[in-house]
């Protein structure tokens, strides 16, 4: 089964850039890499998605090396409201319908 | 905006009861998923469905069944609820490029 690995937790301060890396050695050729954000007592919310190289939107950037065995979510100038759990999601080689979440990274942003 | 609606936000049931968790999506998505989320364990896939009347087991299907009679509705059934099924249950539907849309979750307590 495909598997992802992320740091369990990270601390940061307001205004800093935060980079969270996810390892996914068995990613399938046609799979996308997607990151989600989850606040307490809510369902996860889509942040960004990419296939290769770099993707940027209004809230984050996603860096994917050529071998696609990892990806890095970059949050520029975090604020207190970015405190949440961040999940990395990739496709499963055994079944394209089975999407496996990583363990999640709990980001704490301090004042 | 895509809307995924879970019928109950909080639910309290007794051991041995039959429990139905309902989920409805309004975007005509083919794929729908049920996850459970427990502290320290992240999101774990229970079942998913890729078409009406089609279903596949996820990572932890034991003690659960599902029903997909209509495309927009995906139901999770606990035939005989047990205390170890106390959890947050999250439903999701899948749009293009593997992007998942989650409901707000149902916090189920089995006493």
């Amino acid at each position: 089964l495909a598997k992802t690995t992320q740091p369990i937790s990270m601390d940061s301060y307001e205004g800093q850039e935060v980079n969270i890396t996810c390892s996914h050695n068995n990613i399938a050729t046609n799979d996308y890499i997607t990151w989600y954000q989850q606040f307490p007592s809510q369902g996860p919310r889509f942040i960004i998605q990419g296939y290769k190289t770099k993707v940027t939107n209004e809230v984050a950037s996603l860096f994917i090396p050529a071998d696609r065995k990892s990806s890095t979510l970059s949050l520029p100038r975090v604020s207190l409201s970015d405190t949440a759990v961040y999940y990395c999601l990739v496709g499963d080689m055994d079944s394209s319908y089975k999407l496996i979440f990583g363990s999640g990274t709990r980001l704490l942003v301090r004042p | 905006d895509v809307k995924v609606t879970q019928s109950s936000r909080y639910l309290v049931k007794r051991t041995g009861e039959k429990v139905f968790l309902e989920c409805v999506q309004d975007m005509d998505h083919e794929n729908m998923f049920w996850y459970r989320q427990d502290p320290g364990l992240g999101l774990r896939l229970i079942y998913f469905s890729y078409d009406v009347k089609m279903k596949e087991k996820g990572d932890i299907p034991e003690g659960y069944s599902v029903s997909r009679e209509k495309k927009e509705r995906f139901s999770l059934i606990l035939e005989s609820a047990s205390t170890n099924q106390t959890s947050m249950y999250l439903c999701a539907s899948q749009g293009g490029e593997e992007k998942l849309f989650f409901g707000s979750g149902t916090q189920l307590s089995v006493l």
Side-chain angles (χ1 to χ4, degrees):
Chain A
L1 291 176
K3 198 173 173 181
T4 59
T5 304
Q6 302 175 234
I8 293 173
S9 64
M10 295 181 71
D11 279 16
S12 183
Y13 291 92
E14 280 190 294
Q16 289 188 332
E17 178 184 76
V18 171
N19 296 309
I20 307 174
T21 297
C22 177
S23 299
H24 28 77
N25 291 319
N26 295 328
I27 186 170
T29 303
N30 296 325
D31 285 329
Y32 285 80
I33 299 158
T34 313
W35 284 79
Y36 289 82
Q37 175 191 56
Q38 186 179 25
F39 299 113
S41 301
Q42 294 185 26
R45 184 182 71 159
F46 171 86
I47 303 175
I48 196 167
Q49 185 179 70
Y51 182 78
K52 61 181 178 181
T53 62
K54 178 184 173 183
V55 179
T56 298
N57 62 21
E58 62 277 6
V59 297
S61 294
L62 180 59
F63 298 91
I64 306 169
D67 65 6
R68 304 201 329 126
K69 292 185 183 300
S70 66
S71 58
T72 299
L73 174 72
S74 180
L75 304 171
R77 298 183 299 282
V78 294
S79 64
L80 297 178
S81 62
D82 291 318
T83 292
V85 178
Y86 293 82
Y87 290 95
C88 167
L89 188 63
V90 300
D92 185 346
M93 290 184 75
D94 295 329
S95 170
S96 61
Y97 297 110
K98 269 181 89 171
L99 304 174
I100 297 176
F101 277 79
S103 54
T105 298
R106 188 172 299 275
L107 174 65
L108 174 61
V109 180
R110 302 177 187 273
Chain B
D1 273 356
V2 175
K3 190 154 184 170
V4 178
T5 304
Q6 294 186 229
S7 53
S8 303
R9 191 80 177 89
Y10 299 96
L11 214 50
V12 179
K13 296 292 180 180
R14 297 205 177 275
T15 302
E17 278 193 76
K18 189 169 186 176
V19 181
F20 292 87
L21 301 183
E22 306 286 346
C23 176
V24 177
Q25 51 99 357
D26 65 356
M27 281 300 292
D28 202 37
H29 287 164
E30 299 288 339
N31 299 335
M32 295 187 73
F33 303 78
W34 274 106
Y35 293 87
R36 66 176 280 178
Q37 185 170 32
D38 302 287
L41 296 177
L43 277 79
R44 293 181 291 167
L45 181 64
I46 305 172
Y47 266 97
F48 64 96
S49 168
Y50 49 92
D51 202 351
V52 174
K53 297 190 187 294
M54 305 301 285
K55 61 188 178 186
E56 277 202 38
K57 294 179 180 179
D59 298 320
I60 51 164
E62 296 79 19
Y64 303 95
S65 62
V66 290
S67 172
R68 185 112 180 255
E69 295 297 319
K70 293 184 178 182
K71 193 174 187 180
E72 67 270 19
R73 187 180 297 271
F74 191 36
S75 303
L76 180 70
I77 303 155
L78 288 66
E79 292 289 340
S80 178
S82 63
T83 54
N84 62 12
Q85 291 178 310
T86 290
S87 186
M88 168 70 86
Y89 290 87
L90 290 160
C91 173
S93 70
Q94 184 182 25
E97 298 176 344
E98 302 183 13
K99 187 174 176 180
L100 288 171
F101 297 89
F102 283 87
S104 299
T106 296
Q107 180 62 54
L108 172 68
S109 297
V110 183
L111 306 178

